Amino acid sequence: MVYVIKKSMGDFKFSPFFFLLFSAAAVFCAEVSITVVDQDLGIPLEGARIVSWDDSETFCNTAGKAFIFAPDDRTVVVQISYPGYESSRLALRPGTVEYTAALRLGGIREERELVIEASRPGSSETVSGRSVAISGRELSRPAETGFVEDVMRAVKLLPGVGYIGGYMAMPSIRGGEPSDTTAVFDGFYVERPFHWDGAFSIFDPKMVESAQLSHGVFSARYGHTISGLLDIRAKTPSGDTAEVDLAVSTSAANLNLSFPLDRGGIFLMGRVTYWDPFVAAAKIFYEEVRYISTAPYIRSFAMGASYDFTTDLSFSANGFFGFDGVGAFYKEDSDDARIDANLAWDNKIGFLTSALHFNPGKKILLKTRLGAGFLQSDLGAKIDSENKNTLHTFSQGSFFTDRTINVQGRIDLDWDAGKGFIVSTGVEERYSRWDRTEYYSWNYNGDQRPSIDNNVMNHGMATALYGLFEYKSENRRFGMELGLRGDHFRLSGKDFVLKGIPSVNPRLNLDFGILEEKGVIDALSFTVGTGFFSSVNNDLQNISSRNDIGEYAATQNRSWTSVLGTKIDFTGGYVFTLEGYFKHVFNRAYTLYLIDPIEYTDNAEYFFDGKALIWGFDCMLQKFSSRLWDGWVSYSFIDARYKDPKTKHQLRNLGDWYYPRFHRFHTLNVIFNYKPVPAVHLTTRFSLASGMPIPKTVAIREINDPPGIIPYYERIQKYEHNSRAGLVIPLDVKLSFFNFYKQGKVRREIYVSFENLLSLVYKPEGFKDFDRNTGKETASTIASYDLPIPLVTFGIKWSY
């Protein structure tokens, strides 16, 4: 028996903090062993995941055994899961220290490939050279922090991900363009899955079972990216237990419900943010915040359902609907000028997807998916100004609407050919319609300038076909994955058709198991992979006949990627991964916009000869959940040079090689979770990242042409390799106190979190602001998408 702590409440009556800390932790704990076996065969299930009473995770060893700590003064419940098996719940009662849990093989073999690829199924699909994944508490601890809880908060801390900031969910993956990263939600491609144009993702941690970031030579099952694939697996509702989660904080409220059915379950989730009190308080101290008329908001709803018709046929469905927005104004009335400006911005996004899994035979799995989604963004802005010295007036109105509808379906077939061989094939089809409306108007001194009224409606079809051959030797010392994927797109609109050229993408991975159970090493493996990838540039969605692109001129972005990686599993739950890679990007599309500051024109030229040379390495040392602490350290080095040969733009180095605006050489993340007692959790996240490229100012000139306009100044900048923003060093801390009721079914968490604490003493220097009216450069902006002040969030959660 291990005595954690026991004190009378009177000992700490002088301090409410210590009273809360120790009264919540006043429990005895005993070490309990749990052995997980196959119900029919009795064989141990190595890697089975046990979610403990305090939400910590433990994985079974080669004997199917795991050790956890449990209170000896009440009954608690743990959850046990293993891919391909039905999940189970086990009650741990005082006085019993050994348990055996038998799991029954499920009729659905949807995650067959997990058993083949992952040595530790509980951590989803972490496979050296292909992907890294997090699930359970590894995912929720960093994700459930801050003003807006977001899965991307955890994903951004993984190796290979360039630092972008706490308030941007579109990072660069191994040097690739942020807009090229593709998100998949249970097999459904989600277009622009963001709130506030990329500030946060739509993936609330409560609706997600696991997140897998594929940034190596990943399976030919998926495509549409040359940078990275984010595969989000929806939470599976429990088929035998009702679950309720309610969370209320100073910035948001969440409610999650899960109901069991006879052969399945239903999951519902809702989220509402309310930043109005924070904005109102911030207006007292910060001038910029005073111009917010509508506080930023998010409203979202998600649902999931699953049902097993038979042991060989199951159905699942997932849906999401959300909207967000913000409003702002600016008013000035001085002796020199009068300015009146207003802005309103609203966004909507939603999708509904379904899947049917069927086992027509013992060795065949057929999966079909069908879904549809939409998104809409509406932006309206109006400004009226007057220069009281020159009596010049200026008015401008801008209205923008962007709508997207997409319908997609896919069929996948997996066949277990025996003796370690699996053959897979599949086809997918995606239709998209993009509808964009733009209206701009100008008035100078009562002279109405020509208005710009652009309406573009385009239709796109993306088709893909793949074949996959997998092999794993009986002793698991050698594995191979050979795939071939073909991608094609067709884009049409008013008076034009782009047929594109099909891209053929072969991919090969070889896995070698070097050592097993040698000293402190449980397993040592080595991976080598190479393959081709393709994607379609998002800017092509808005082209029209006036862009004059040939029928077969628009090519897909292509990349050839090669990876070398190793993974070491140590005793004690430590895992170390190291990967080096090289990517040659070619046929990359890029755009040059020709914009006149007075007579607005939106003529754009499209080119398809862009290049990029990207290389680097990243590593991660991870400690899986244990009694006292867990977490990981990740480091990424990325060298990514781009080249746009046809451009003469100064910030793209006049068509020569340059580092793109999102590039950082170094990113270090440290995630440390400490549990001094079971009822107290301390979560910290520290990052250190080198600066992004910033342009260098070479001249400032006054503009007085055409006559009659209000004079203004123009800043001339150029690109330089060594011109960079300052280092970024964010620090986030979350302290949680848990209370567990005697029945073991209800848990309460009270927490406080602090974001960007180090901003109190350090603000990295970023871009220089520029005043077009005075021609002066002002104070630097912050060098990342972080708020320049620490944010504090209080909250309470109940779970049943």
Side-chain angles (χ1 to χ4, degrees), residues 280-420:
K283 286 181 179 181
I284 302 175
F285 304 100
Y286 298 96
E287 183 72 23
E288 298 85 351
V289 183
R290 298 177 185 177
Y291 301 112
I292 296 179
S293 56
T294 301
Y297 66 89
I298 294 175
R299 311 285 187 265
S300 62
F301 169 79
M303 61 81 63
S306 63
Y307 189 79
D308 298 339
F309 295 100
T310 68
T311 57
D312 295 322
L313 180 64
S314 70
F315 171 81
S316 64
N318 289 283
F320 176 86
F321 177 77
F323 54 100
D324 61 81
V326 67
F329 73 96
Y330 180 79
K331 290 183 181 295
E332 178 184 335
D333 195 353
S334 63
D335 294 337
D336 298 322
R338 176 188 60 83
I339 301 175
D340 189 352
N342 291 277
L343 177 144
W345 183 28
D346 297 285
N347 305 283
K348 304 179 183 68
I349 182 173
F351 61 83
L352 180 64
T353 178
S354 62
L356 191 67
H357 300 160
F358 176 52
N359 287 91
K362 292 183 178 181
K363 295 187 176 183
I364 297 178
L365 174 61
L366 178 66
K367 297 175 285 187
T368 63
R369 292 183 174 91
L370 180 65
F374 78 94
L375 61 89
Q376 178 173 325
S377 180
D378 298 293
L379 176 65
K382 191 174 187 304
I383 181 171
D384 295 301
S385 65
E386 176 186 3
N387 187 320
K388 294 183 178 181
N389 296 321
T390 63
L391 300 182
H392 290 159
T393 61
F394 167 73
S395 297
Q396 177 179 339
S398 304
F399 303 94
F400 171 87
T401 297
D402 191 4
R403 301 183 185 92
T404 298
I405 297 174
N406 72 86
V407 179
Q408 53 188 278
R410 62 180 295 152
I411 300 175
D412 300 90
L413 177 67
D414 297 328
W415 173 46
D416 185 352
K419 296 184 178 181

Side-chain angles (χ1 to χ4, degrees), residues 24 29 111 120 129 132 168 256 258 324 350 369 423 467 504 593 603 606 639 665 676 771:
C29 285
E111 298 188 85
R120 190 181 293 273
V132 59
M168 174 54 68
N256 310 279
S258 180
D324 61 81
R369 292 183 174 91
V423 180
V504 179
Y593 287 97
N603 295 328
Y606 293 81
D639 188 292
F665 280 109
D771 190 330

